[in-house]
Amino acid sequence: MLLKLCLNLEKRQLLMLKALRTLMPFFKPYLGRMLFVLTSVLMVTWAGLLAPWLVRELVRIVTVAEGDLAGATQTLGIITFALLISYLLRSAGQFINFHVSHVVAFGLVHDLQVAVYQQLQRFSPAYFEDRQSGEIVSRVVKDTVDVEPIIADAVYDFVVSFLLAVGIIIVLVSLNPTLTLLAMIPVPFAFGAVILLAMPMQRAFKQESENYGEMSGLVQDNVSGIKEIQVFNREQQELKRVRHISDRYTGQSILARKLTAMLFPSIEGATGISIVLVVWFGGQQALAGNVPIEDIVAFVLYLTMLYQPLWTLLGTAESLQGGIASVNRIGEVLSMQPQVADAPDGIDIDRVKGRVAMEGVYFAYRQGVDVLRDINLTVEPGQTLALVGPTGAGKSTIVSMVARFYDPQQGRIRIDDIDLREMKLDALRRNLSMVLQDVFLFNGTVRDNIRFGNPNATNEEVIEAAKVANAHDFIHSLPDGYDTLIGERGVKLSGGQKQRLSIARAVLKDAPILILDEATSSVDTETEAQIQEALERLMKGRNSIVIAHRLSTIRNADQIIVLDEGQVVETGSHEEIVTNDGLYARLVARQREALAL
């Protein structure tokens, strides 16, 4: 039992030290204000220690006032005035602390939120593919907000409680060492209860926070997929999942508070036993004339204050335990190294010519399961490369690697003879533009979504980009034109309209390398013609890498690469490989048959 207790205490200390290491770099801008708070803490502590001593002096004056009432009355006035000053100083110190500590705490929360979000932006898509969006949002918002009570309340309460306890013990020993030893008898039992319950409380609060993140993720996913849930009559099943996770969250929350509540009887009992011991033995000594009555009164007052720090710590245990768990989760994110990162001496280049080459590239999302094997290809500036092949052949993986969302396990990818791992990510992506099948539009206006490609673009440039993308006419017909709010993910627009806004965004970016991933696969024939016309304008003069199944999109490509199971099986122009009895010829034949039906 003792070994387990020591291990739990050591583990708790390690968790606290780990949390402190995470927070220490963020304290630096607030050191001046934190010292100011510390000054107010000392003032509050001093005023708290002074008040019982003044009451002791009051009792002493009353008991000896028989011979000199005038002098006693004057002394009483001085004591009363000093007591008033002590309470005013205590109130002022508490105000200073409450205000400034919250200023520091919320400033720290702001810095943490920015730091966590900035770190998340450094991660490759693989990080986000393995986690629910709600869980990630919880890291940025909830975990950082949970830090605020630690800084503003728990730390302050801990420092005040510690200083008060030390000060009170010093005063008690100076008053009567024997009574002090008697009063301390229940203390080890109270602290033992705190230590025994600390780790279970830590685990309960950690599990509660994890369940909260899981709950947030599930609700966010279900809100995003509400149409699918309703169409497939999955309401009851999803409700059951939400209820199950909510039950777990509620259970852990109740358990955490139950463990906290279990500490109160131990502290209450320790306080009562200490006072009983002092009253009995101290009262006997006072009756015998060995101890002044004012010392007994002061002793009881200080003894009541001695256990107050434990009460205060209990009140902050919930936020402290939950906050430490939140800080450690934040620390995990901040300490995590991105799979794709800038080299220390990364090359910064303003605008590339656009030559793209892959040389002996191998890649696997999971070890031992190759998605790409020995890929070799070259796209010269101004050329169009089309990637063709069945689903799962590796087409989207190739374009993701050109954008350096992933790095190859073997081989290299170069732009203008510069290995992508030697080029700064900002420089690389400044020279890339992508038009994807699944267009992501932000909750804002049409103008804002187009301008996302170039935040400094003028209104005239936005309109010109929309015209190039064949989007101006439908935008003009919207209720507020370019200022129309399109809703989250562009829910108020059709697939073809969203696609043309994506093309306009790419036009406005004006990058030398263009990636098109199934940009016309989900639209009708008339809309496809409009999009195809816009894409031809966009591709003119650019190095373009195109993924498409439709013959109209790829037949005019300078080079076609046919992929199957992660390998290049055919390469050449449309005319060169369509006559071969290979995979490309079969794909073309199937598409012609489908069009003829």
Side-chain angles (χ1 to χ4, degrees):
M1 182 66 180
L2 181 61
L3 177 61
K4 183 178 180 181
L5 181 63
C6 293
L7 290 174
N8 285 344
L9 182 59
E10 182 181 1
K11 186 176 180 181
R12 185 186 179 201
Q13 290 174 336
L14 289 173
L15 289 171
M16 291 184 69
L17 288 173
K18 185 179 177 182
L20 281 174
R21 281 196 298 269
T22 298
L23 291 178
M24 284 304 292
F26 295 92
F27 283 135
K28 189 174 181 180
Y30 305 100
L31 287 178
R33 278 171 283 192
M34 291 173 69
L35 288 173
F36 189 53
V37 170
L38 180 59
T39 302
S40 74
V41 167
L42 293 173
M43 186 164 63
V44 169
T45 305
W46 176 81
L49 289 172
L50 180 61
W53 191 266
L54 292 173
V55 173
R56 173 186 179 274
E57 288 301 303
L58 173 62
V59 174
R60 185 182 66 81
I61 292 299
V62 170
T63 57
V64 299
E66 296 177 1
D68 185 13
L69 289 176
T73 302
Q74 184 180 5
T75 305
L76 178 61
I78 295 172
I79 292 174
T80 303
F81 181 74
L83 191 61
L84 174 64
I85 295 299
S86 72
Y87 282 121
L88 289 176
L89 286 175
R90 184 177 175 87
S91 298
Q94 288 175 331
F95 169 78
I96 292 171
N97 171 265
F98 185 85
H99 175 66
V100 179
S101 63
H102 279 86
V103 170
V104 171
F106 281 114
L108 196 73
V109 167
H110 163 75
D111 295 343
L112 283 171
Q113 287 177 338
V114 172
V116 173
Y117 180 78
Q118 185 177 27
Q119 175 76 339
L120 289 173
Q121 286 189 313
R122 298 175 60 207
F123 294 153
S124 66
Y127 175 86
F128 301 95
E129 289 165 0
D130 295 336
R131 292 164 176 83
Q132 287 183 306
S133 56
E135 178 188 350
I136 297 171
V137 171
S138 178
R139 294 289 175 272
V140 180
V141 181
K142 183 182 182 297
D143 283 342
T144 53
V145 170
D146 283 347
V147 175
E148 194 274 337
I150 296 181
I151 308 302
D153 300 320
V155 171
Y156 163 75
D157 289 336
F158 175 81
V159 173
V160 170
S161 299
F162 176 77
L163 293 176
L164 271 176
V166 171
I168 290 169
I169 290 173
I170 292 172
V171 173
L172 290 178
V173 171
S174 68
L175 286 172
N176 194 310
T178 304
L179 283 181
T180 302
L181 287 175
L182 283 171
M184 293 298 105
I185 290 174
V187 171
F189 299 99
F191 274 104
V194 172
I195 294 171
L196 280 171
L197 293 172
M199 284 309 299
M201 285 170 59
Q202 174 85 21
R203 288 193 296 270
F205 280 114
K206 181 179 180 181
Q207 188 62 49
E208 176 192 10
S209 185
E210 290 175 354
N211 288 337
Y212 177 88
E214 188 178 354
M215 180 77 172
S216 298
L218 178 59
V219 171
Q220 185 163 330
D221 285 349
N222 286 2
V223 169
S224 300
I226 192 65
K227 288 183 180 178
E228 286 75 10
I229 291 173
Q230 292 174 347
V231 166
F232 290 98
N233 289 327
R234 297 285 298 181
E235 290 94 339
Q236 292 304 315
Q237 290 84 349
E238 293 306 311
L239 177 61
K240 184 177 179 180
R241 290 178 64 199
V242 170
R243 182 182 288 113
H244 175 67
I245 297 176
S246 180
D247 284 344
R248 279 171 29 207
Y249 172 71
T250 303
Q252 286 297 324
S253 300
I254 293 173
L255 174 61
R257 276 69 181 179
K258 177 183 177 182
L259 292 170
T260 304
M262 288 172 66
L263 290 175
F264 285 93
S266 61
I267 304 301
E268 181 71 34
T271 304
I273 293 171
S274 292
I275 292 174
V276 167
L277 290 172
V278 169
V279 168
W280 174 249
F281 290 101
Q284 288 183 331
Q285 290 188 18
L287 290 173
N290 297 325
V291 178
I293 187 64
E294 61 266 23
D295 284 0
I296 299 298
V297 172
F299 208 96
V300 171
L301 290 174
Y302 279 115
L303 192 58
T304 304
M305 288 177 59
L306 176 62
Y307 282 93
Q308 186 61 40
L310 284 178
W311 283 107
T312 304
L313 288 174
L314 286 178
T316 60
E318 180 176 334
S319 60
L320 186 61
Q321 298 297 328
I324 288 173
S326 295
V327 171
N328 287 331
R329 281 192 300 274
I330 292 170
E332 291 172 3
V333 175
L334 294 178
S335 63
M336 192 179 297
Q337 293 300 315
Q339 293 180 338
V340 175
D342 279 332
D345 54 350
I347 299 171
D348 192 2
I349 185 168
D350 184 47
R351 191 173 181 88
V352 300
K353 294 178 181 177
R355 184 178 188 272
V356 178
M358 301 184 77
E359 301 170 355
V361 169
Y362 286 78
F363 178 75
Y365 293 104
R366 297 188 305 276
Q367 188 174 2
V369 185
D370 287 335
V371 177
L372 298 177
R373 295 194 295 275
D374 195 23
I375 300 297
N376 294 276
L377 60 86
T378 302
V379 193
E380 299 294 341
Q383 287 189 343
T384 297
L385 169 70
L387 300 175
V388 179
T391 301
K395 305 183 295 297
S396 294
T397 301
I398 286 178
V399 298
S400 292
M401 297 186 75
V402 172
R404 209 187 165 206
F405 294 143
Y406 307 95
D407 282 334
Q409 277 86 35
Q410 294 182 46
R412 62 178 180 172
I413 306 170
R414 296 188 296 166
I415 292 181
D416 289 1
D417 295 324
I418 302 173
D419 192 314
L420 295 192
R421 287 169 289 204
E422 298 173 359
M423 183 184 294
K424 286 189 175 181
L425 284 168
D426 180 65
L428 167 63
R429 291 168 186 169
R430 189 167 59 238
N431 285 279
L432 282 175
S433 192
M434 301 182 77
V435 179
L436 307 178
Q437 176 184 4
D438 184 16
V439 178
F440 188 94
L441 297 177
F442 296 90
N443 186 18
T445 65
V446 171
R447 190 189 315 277
D448 291 338
N449 273 277
I450 296 176
R451 192 176 272 145
F452 197 78
N454 180 5
N456 299 318
T458 64
N459 288 334
E460 290 73 20
E461 289 171 329
V462 169
I463 293 171
E464 185 58 34
K467 289 179 178 178
V468 173
N470 281 340
H472 178 71
D473 289 342
F474 91 77
I475 294 173
H476 190 67
S477 67
L478 295 174
D480 296 311
Y482 284 84
D483 295 316
T484 301
L485 291 170
I486 59 176
E488 189 175 0
R489 297 184 67 89
V491 294
K492 297 181 181 180
L493 302 179
S494 69
Q497 289 172 332
K498 288 192 286 187
Q499 200 65 264
R500 278 174 279 173
L501 289 187
S502 178
I503 294 171
R505 196 157 59 187
V507 171
L508 206 59
K509 185 174 183 181
D510 190 28
I513 300 174
L514 176 66
I515 293 174
L516 306 175
D517 189 352
E518 302 283 8
T520 62
S521 62
S522 301
V523 295
D524 57 72
T525 304
E526 182 179 351
T527 303
E528 180 190 1
Q530 293 178 317
I531 293 175
Q532 189 62 45
E533 181 183 347
L535 288 175
E536 289 172 2
R537 294 175 189 160
L538 176 60
M539 294 164 64
K540 189 174 182 180
R542 289 182 171 84
N543 181 334
S544 302
I545 301 176
V546 180
I547 297 175
H549 291 302
R550 299 192 181 186
L551 185 61
S552 58
T553 307
I554 60 176
R555 68 180 306 157
N556 295 324
D558 298 289
Q559 183 182 176
I560 298 172
I561 287 184
V562 184
L563 295 164
D564 190 22
E565 296 183 353
Q567 291 181 297
V568 176
V569 294
E570 293 178 275
T571 182
S573 66
H574 172 74
E575 289 76 14
E576 289 171 345
I577 59 175
V578 74
T579 55
N580 299 336
D581 188 19
L583 177 58
Y584 182 73
R586 294 195 296 274
L587 292 173
V588 170
R590 287 175 195 166
Q591 187 173 137
R592 284 173 175 165
E593 289 173 3
L595 291 173
L597 293 176

